Amino acid sequence: MTRVCRYRFFREVFVSFLVSLVFMGNLLAQVSEDTHGYIISYSGDTTFGQISPGNYFRDQKRIRFTDVYGVKTIYHSDRIAGFGYGGKHYIAKPTPYYFAGLFSDSTIFLLRRIQGPASLYRFYKQRSLFTLQKGPSYFELVEKPDGKLYEVSLAFKWKRVATVFADYPELAREIETGLYKPEELDKIIDTYNQWYNQR
């Protein structure tokens, strides 16, 4: 074998080796993207399998799910009541009023942050191209025991948030007088839920 032939042979082996590494890397990346999760049907049944997580916005619209038999399906909020993976729980809810429009979906998956008599949800909306803020913008929504959703985003006047909790007058007064800061919304929900459960 001449020197040129040996050079070509080793070059081809080396290139094949690199291509194999890239191919295996892509396969491993695809496998690692999936994570254990579940979906909930509208009848309340839970099915476990693998979920291919998306970003904040895609997860609100649809989810890719693979069942234990390897069947892959894309679910929207009109087909399932919710899903979860990696400590996140999404529930199908009506699209928030301010973002519902002629061409928007009637329901959307909202990230449930707190579950209780009053549940706290987060709705993500992409920021305008003209804003200087980075990252996803989001709005907080509270579902009260009567099933109604109330927006309690920090963009609104803080006193307006107090009206959402008017059925617990002491908490509403504390919110109005500034005892709670806007970033303490989780604490407000927990305080309300403790009061509601002890009534």
Side-chain angles (χ1 to χ4, degrees), residues 39-47 75-83 91-92:
I39 58 171
I40 304 170
S41 71
Y42 274 106
S43 61
D45 296 323
T46 301
T47 304
Y75 289 105
H76 294 81
S77 56
D78 59 343
R79 292 192 57 205
I80 59 171
F83 67 91
I91 306 296

mmCIF file of all heavy atoms in Angstrom, residues 39-47 75-83 91-92:
data_model
loop_
_atom_site.group_PDB
_atom_site.id
_atom_site.type_symbol
_atom_site.label_atom_id
_atom_site.label_comp_id
_atom_site.label_asym_id
_atom_site.label_seq_id
_atom_site.Cartn_x
_atom_site.Cartn_y
_atom_site.Cartn_z
ATOM 1 N N ILE A 39 -50.136 12.651 31.172
ATOM 2 C CA ILE A 39 -51.235 13.446 30.625
ATOM 3 C C ILE A 39 -52.501 13.070 31.391
ATOM 4 O O ILE A 39 -52.604 11.963 31.919
ATOM 5 C CB ILE A 39 -51.430 13.228 29.100
ATOM 6 C CG1 ILE A 39 -51.685 11.748 28.790
ATOM 7 C CG2 ILE A 39 -50.252 13.759 28.313
ATOM 8 C CD1 ILE A 39 -52.089 11.481 27.345
ATOM 9 N N ILE A 40 -53.436 13.999 31.455
ATOM 10 C CA ILE A 40 -54.716 13.765 32.143
ATOM 11 C C ILE A 40 -55.837 13.953 31.126
ATOM 12 O O ILE A 40 -55.913 14.997 30.471
ATOM 13 C CB ILE A 40 -54.917 14.751 33.305
ATOM 14 C CG1 ILE A 40 -53.746 14.676 34.276
ATOM 15 C CG2 ILE A 40 -56.224 14.484 34.031
ATOM 16 C CD1 ILE A 40 -53.744 15.778 35.318
ATOM 17 N N SER A 41 -56.694 12.947 31.001
ATOM 18 C CA SER A 41 -57.827 13.050 30.081
ATOM 19 C C SER A 41 -58.931 13.891 30.728
ATOM 20 O O SER A 41 -58.914 14.135 31.940
ATOM 21 C CB SER A 41 -58.372 11.663 29.743
ATOM 22 O OG SER A 41 -59.026 11.117 30.878
ATOM 23 N N TYR A 42 -59.900 14.309 29.928
ATOM 24 C CA TYR A 42 -61.009 15.085 30.469
ATOM 25 C C TYR A 42 -61.907 14.244 31.374
ATOM 26 O O TYR A 42 -62.672 14.780 32.160
ATOM 27 C CB TYR A 42 -61.815 15.737 29.346
ATOM 28 C CG TYR A 42 -61.222 17.075 28.937
ATOM 29 C CD1 TYR A 42 -60.522 17.212 27.754
ATOM 30 C CD2 TYR A 42 -61.337 18.182 29.768
ATOM 31 C CE1 TYR A 42 -59.967 18.433 27.400
ATOM 32 C CE2 TYR A 42 -60.790 19.405 29.420
ATOM 33 C CZ TYR A 42 -60.105 19.524 28.236
ATOM 34 O OH TYR A 42 -59.553 20.730 27.896
ATOM 35 N N SER A 43 -61.770 12.912 31.305
ATOM 36 C CA SER A 43 -62.536 12.054 32.217
ATOM 37 C C SER A 43 -61.778 11.831 33.532
ATOM 38 O O SER A 43 -62.283 11.167 34.429
ATOM 39 C CB SER A 43 -62.844 10.714 31.552
ATOM 40 O OG SER A 43 -61.651 10.038 31.229
ATOM 41 N N GLY A 44 -60.553 12.374 33.632
ATOM 42 C CA GLY A 44 -59.787 12.286 34.869
ATOM 43 C C GLY A 44 -58.757 11.178 34.915
ATOM 44 O O GLY A 44 -58.079 10.997 35.921
ATOM 45 N N ASP A 45 -58.619 10.406 33.832
ATOM 46 C CA ASP A 45 -57.630 9.326 33.795
ATOM 47 C C ASP A 45 -56.236 9.889 33.557
ATOM 48 O O ASP A 45 -56.045 10.795 32.750
ATOM 49 C CB ASP A 45 -57.961 8.323 32.691
ATOM 50 C CG ASP A 45 -59.286 7.608 32.926
ATOM 51 O OD1 ASP A 45 -59.577 7.319 34.102
ATOM 52 O OD2 ASP A 45 -60.017 7.351 31.956
ATOM 53 N N THR A 46 -55.251 9.316 34.246
ATOM 54 C CA THR A 46 -53.860 9.736 34.087
ATOM 55 C C THR A 46 -53.097 8.652 33.346
ATOM 56 O O THR A 46 -53.182 7.477 33.692
ATOM 57 C CB THR A 46 -53.200 9.990 35.464
ATOM 58 O OG1 THR A 46 -53.946 10.993 36.150
ATOM 59 C CG2 THR A 46 -51.765 10.446 35.298
ATOM 60 N N THR A 47 -52.352 9.047 32.316
ATOM 61 C CA THR A 47 -51.518 8.129 31.544
ATOM 62 C C THR A 47 -50.076 8.594 31.647
ATOM 63 O O THR A 47 -49.775 9.759 31.387
ATOM 64 C CB THR A 47 -51.946 8.113 30.057
ATOM 65 O OG1 THR A 47 -53.339 7.781 29.971
ATOM 66 C CG2 THR A 47 -51.134 7.104 29.266
ATOM 67 N N TYR A 75 -50.716 16.536 21.622
ATOM 68 C CA TYR A 75 -51.979 16.882 22.258
ATOM 69 C C TYR A 75 -52.115 18.393 22.403
ATOM 70 O O TYR A 75 -51.156 19.074 22.768
ATOM 71 C CB TYR A 75 -52.093 16.251 23.649
ATOM 72 C CG TYR A 75 -52.297 14.761 23.620
ATOM 73 C CD1 TYR A 75 -51.260 13.887 23.930
ATOM 74 C CD2 TYR A 75 -53.536 14.215 23.298
ATOM 75 C CE1 TYR A 75 -51.448 12.514 23.914
ATOM 76 C CE2 TYR A 75 -53.734 12.845 23.273
ATOM 77 C CZ TYR A 75 -52.682 12.003 23.580
ATOM 78 O OH TYR A 75 -52.876 10.645 23.560
ATOM 79 N N HIS A 76 -53.329 18.881 22.148
ATOM 80 C CA HIS A 76 -53.686 20.272 22.393
ATOM 81 C C HIS A 76 -54.681 20.301 23.555
ATOM 82 O O HIS A 76 -55.203 19.270 23.955
ATOM 83 C CB HIS A 76 -54.309 20.908 21.142
ATOM 84 C CG HIS A 76 -53.345 21.026 20.008
ATOM 85 N ND1 HIS A 76 -53.046 19.977 19.168
ATOM 86 C CD2 HIS A 76 -52.589 22.070 19.578
ATOM 87 C CE1 HIS A 76 -52.164 20.363 18.271
ATOM 88 N NE2 HIS A 76 -51.859 21.629 18.502
ATOM 89 N N SER A 77 -54.971 21.486 24.044
ATOM 90 C CA SER A 77 -55.824 21.610 25.228
ATOM 91 C C SER A 77 -57.281 21.226 24.967
ATOM 92 O O SER A 77 -58.041 21.050 25.910
ATOM 93 C CB SER A 77 -55.770 23.041 25.772
ATOM 94 O OG SER A 77 -56.125 23.957 24.760
ATOM 95 N N ASP A 78 -57.671 21.058 23.713
ATOM 96 C CA ASP A 78 -59.033 20.594 23.449
ATOM 97 C C ASP A 78 -59.137 19.073 23.552
ATOM 98 O O ASP A 78 -60.229 18.524 23.585
ATOM 99 C CB ASP A 78 -59.518 21.078 22.074
ATOM 100 C CG ASP A 78 -58.634 20.594 20.934
ATOM 101 O OD1 ASP A 78 -57.484 20.168 21.195
ATOM 102 O OD2 ASP A 78 -59.084 20.651 19.774
ATOM 103 N N ARG A 79 -57.986 18.367 23.654
ATOM 104 C CA ARG A 79 -57.996 16.907 23.714
ATOM 105 C C ARG A 79 -57.674 16.344 25.092
ATOM 106 O O ARG A 79 -58.089 15.242 25.418
ATOM 107 C CB ARG A 79 -57.002 16.347 22.690
ATOM 108 C CG ARG A 79 -57.460 16.614 21.260
ATOM 109 C CD ARG A 79 -56.681 15.836 20.238
ATOM 110 N NE ARG A 79 -56.724 14.406 20.462
ATOM 111 C CZ ARG A 79 -55.789 13.575 20.027
ATOM 112 N NH1 ARG A 79 -54.750 14.026 19.368
ATOM 113 N NH2 ARG A 79 -55.881 12.292 20.264
ATOM 114 N N ILE A 80 -56.864 17.067 25.874
ATOM 115 C CA ILE A 80 -56.532 16.593 27.217
ATOM 116 C C ILE A 80 -56.732 17.729 28.220
ATOM 117 O O ILE A 80 -56.657 18.905 27.866
ATOM 118 C CB ILE A 80 -55.095 16.023 27.324
ATOM 119 C CG1 ILE A 80 -54.047 17.078 26.932
ATOM 120 C CG2 ILE A 80 -54.951 14.752 26.514
ATOM 121 C CD1 ILE A 80 -52.610 16.651 27.217
ATOM 122 N N ALA A 81 -56.963 17.348 29.476
ATOM 123 C CA ALA A 81 -57.231 18.333 30.529
ATOM 124 C C ALA A 81 -55.954 18.883 31.145
ATOM 125 O O ALA A 81 -55.985 19.918 31.810
ATOM 126 C CB ALA A 81 -58.094 17.707 31.620
ATOM 127 N N GLY A 82 -54.824 18.199 30.929
ATOM 128 C CA GLY A 82 -53.580 18.694 31.484
ATOM 129 C C GLY A 82 -52.451 17.710 31.301
ATOM 130 O O GLY A 82 -52.637 16.601 30.795
ATOM 131 N N PHE A 83 -51.268 18.134 31.701
ATOM 132 C CA PHE A 83 -50.082 17.283 31.630
ATOM 133 C C PHE A 83 -49.059 17.807 32.620
ATOM 134 O O PHE A 83 -49.193 18.913 33.160
ATOM 135 C CB PHE A 83 -49.497 17.251 30.211
ATOM 136 C CG PHE A 83 -48.913 18.557 29.751
ATOM 137 C CD1 PHE A 83 -47.569 18.860 29.959
ATOM 138 C CD2 PHE A 83 -49.703 19.495 29.106
ATOM 139 C CE1 PHE A 83 -47.030 20.062 29.540
ATOM 140 C CE2 PHE A 83 -49.172 20.702 28.677
ATOM 141 C CZ PHE A 83 -47.831 20.987 28.901
ATOM 142 N N ILE A 91 -52.531 22.871 33.228
ATOM 143 C CA ILE A 91 -53.952 22.556 33.222
ATOM 144 C C ILE A 91 -54.618 23.345 32.100
ATOM 145 O O ILE A 91 -54.327 24.529 31.895
ATOM 146 C CB ILE A 91 -54.609 22.941 34.578
ATOM 147 C CG1 ILE A 91 -53.854 22.275 35.744
ATOM 148 C CG2 ILE A 91 -56.083 22.572 34.599
ATOM 149 C CD1 ILE A 91 -53.899 20.774 35.758
ATOM 150 N N ALA A 92 -55.538 22.700 31.368
ATOM 151 C CA ALA A 92 -56.272 23.378 30.292
ATOM 152 C C ALA A 92 -57.292 24.332 30.898
ATOM 153 O O ALA A 92 -58.130 23.927 31.705
ATOM 154 C CB ALA A 92 -56.963 22.349 29.401
#
